[in-house]
Amino acid sequence: MRRTRIMRAGLAVLLLLGAGAAAGTVPATAGEKAPASAGLLSAMQRDFGLSRQQAEARLAAERRATALEPKVQRTAGTSYGGSWFDAAKGTLTVAVTPDASATALREIRATGATVRTVTHSARELVATQARIDKVSAPDAVSSWHVDVKANTVVVNIVSGRQADNDVRKFVARARQAGPVTVREVAAAPTTFAAGTVGGDPYYTGNVRCSIGFSVYGGFITAGHCDQHTGSVYGWDRSYIGNFQGSSFPDNDYAWVNVGSGWWTVPVVLGWGTVSDQLVRGSNVAPVGSSICRSGSTSHWHCGTVLAMNETVNYSQGAVYQMTKTSVCAEPGDSGGSFISGDQAQGVTSGGWGNCSSGGETWFQPVNEILNRYGLTLHTA
């Protein structure tokens, strides 16, 4: 039964997420730059209010910005203040401090990027966040991150809780660490694991989660999904493998080995909303880029990268170096795939809200997981 169902999905499974609802994969020639699928373009038109041509242009511009970002960072050197994708202009904006050299400014502008002068370097802001990371945060403090557009560290406080004594003390200590701005958010973050239900999940202990990405020898997912029972079971309750490593809190990542008739494929499920997406790498998409998420509860949704390296204050403890997005998620989506174009970005950790009323979601970046466990992403 297991093999029959997977084959019927046309190998368009990402291990455990493979299900009868899957659409076919998009064939591609080895070495070919993958064109955007019709389904992906439709999803972007729906979620961003774009025409097909605008969606194609945005994806192309985001690919250029992703490739450009590490180059302009090297050029700016110590004057680098961060960078982000400007969707309205379709270009990368690069922040630099006033001490940037004329040569560096000329070279950055020559790439087509926009230059903005800021007070604080990225190095200063990262150091400020690191100092705040050492301060114990009350539960009304949702998260904190470097906001390169605002050139400050933003501390997010749950609505109506700014006057709490413990919050005021935390904010006062945070301001001593460096440039800090306080913002109000709707709710505190929670993880998106769920109790065991039917569908297209993987199961461990009494929890259902979603797979992230195939790696050679297994797959990666969220660390909070590890119930320390060892065994992992697929959608049909057949044994797949065991957790080989996990971390939560501090981090939110894990990996599971694969055997017993299961295999890995470089695919993220589109759940019939879009064509299943081939994974071709893990280049990091800049802030402002479009990004989509696949999960076993709410399936396929898209949004925008809002912030990187954010510290998220869950009730179980803080998790560091997370990426925040405007994509919604729901219980059971934990561990699922975040992908930008054909580039793997990370695995779903938690957030607030749902896919009816909206919300925000954080993911653990994929490259950190690969480096931590010495894994190799399975790519097309």
Side-chain angles (χ1 to χ4, degrees):
M1 176 184 175
R2 177 173 76 253
R3 187 174 299 275
T4 300
R5 187 174 179 184
I6 294 175
M7 292 300 291
R8 189 169 65 246
L11 296 184
V13 295
L14 183 57
L15 299 172
L16 325 172
L17 284 181
T25 57
V26 179
T29 305
E32 174 189 5
K33 181 173 289 245
S37 70
L40 176 58
L41 293 170
S42 295
M44 293 185 69
Q45 291 174 66
R46 177 198 67 202
D47 293 341
F48 294 113
L50 303 175
S51 68
R52 180 185 177 91
Q53 291 73 22
Q54 288 171 328
E56 289 175 333
R58 175 162 177 166
L59 287 172
E62 288 176 352
R63 284 194 295 270
R64 291 192 295 271
T66 297
L68 182 60
E69 189 172 39
K71 299 176 183 177
V72 296
Q73 182 174 350
R74 288 193 299 270
T75 301
T78 57
S79 67
Y80 182 69
S83 56
W84 59 94
F85 178 72
D86 186 329
K89 296 180 179 179
T91 58
L92 191 70
T93 298
V94 182
V96 297
T97 53
D99 60 345
S101 69
T103 300
L105 294 174
R106 185 168 57 252
E107 291 180 2
I108 293 170
R109 290 192 175 102
T111 68
T114 300
V115 175
R116 179 183 294 181
T117 303
V118 295
T119 303
H120 307 287
S121 70
R123 184 176 299 177
E124 290 178 78
L125 297 176
V126 168
T128 297
Q129 182 179 3
R131 287 189 284 270
I132 298 173
D133 284 345
K134 296 177 182 178
V135 181
S136 179
D139 60 5
V141 178
S142 170
S143 61
W144 52 96
H145 71 278
V146 172
D147 185 333
V148 292
K149 289 185 182 180
N151 197 230
T152 186
V153 174
V154 172
V155 174
N156 296 299
I157 310 295
V158 176
S159 178
R161 301 287 299 277
Q162 289 194 38
D164 291 5
N165 286 335
D166 54 357
V167 171
R168 293 171 65 181
K169 290 177 182 178
F170 178 86
V171 171
R173 294 191 63 183
R175 291 191 190 283
Q176 293 173 0
V180 164
T181 299
V182 174
R183 292 180 186 165
E184 190 176 87
V185 294
T190 60
T191 55
F192 284 125
T196 299
V197 295
D200 295 310
Y202 77 83
Y203 300 96
T204 176
N206 64 346
V207 162
R208 169 172 64 85
C209 281
S210 303
I211 220 169
F213 293 95
S214 287
V215 296
Y216 286 98
F219 67 86
I220 57 175
T221 186
H224 72 263
C225 293
D226 184 1
Q227 299 297 290
H228 305 289
T229 58
S231 300
V232 172
Y233 300 88
W235 57 267
D236 62 353
R237 301 293 188 153
S238 65
Y239 171 75
I240 295 173
N242 291 69
F243 279 95
Q244 300 297 302
S246 67
S247 177
F248 180 79
D250 290 341
N251 307 289
D252 195 5
Y253 50 57
W255 84 281
V256 175
N257 68 324
V258 169
S260 303
W262 294 85
W263 63 92
T264 65
V265 289
V267 171
V268 172
L269 279 181
W271 295 100
T273 302
V274 301
S275 299
D276 298 340
Q277 303 297 299
L278 291 172
V279 178
R280 296 183 181 274
S282 57
N283 294 329
V284 179
V287 168
S289 300
S290 62
I291 193 166
C292 297
R293 181 194 55 72
S294 181
S296 63
T297 297
S298 57
H299 297 173
W300 183 272
H301 289 274
C302 299
T304 303
V305 178
L306 299 177
M308 294 182 177
N309 295 316
E310 184 154 20
T311 301
V312 181
N313 191 36
Y314 292 125
S315 61
Q316 300 94 329
V319 177
Y320 305 98
Q321 297 180 321
M322 302 278 272
T323 299
K324 180 165 66 176
T325 77
S326 64
V327 187
C328 67
E330 297 181 356
D333 288 328
S334 277
S337 322
F338 267 92
I339 188 167
S340 182
D342 57 10
Q343 299 296 304
Q345 299 297 309
V347 300
T348 304
S349 174
W352 61 269
N354 56 52
C355 291
S356 296
S357 59
E360 294 176 338
T361 302
W362 287 270
F363 67 79
Q364 177 83 61
V366 65
N367 290 328
E368 181 181 355
I369 310 173
L370 300 176
N371 292 335
R372 168 62 180 84
Y373 294 117
L375 302 169
T376 300
L377 189 67
H378 190 167
T379 58

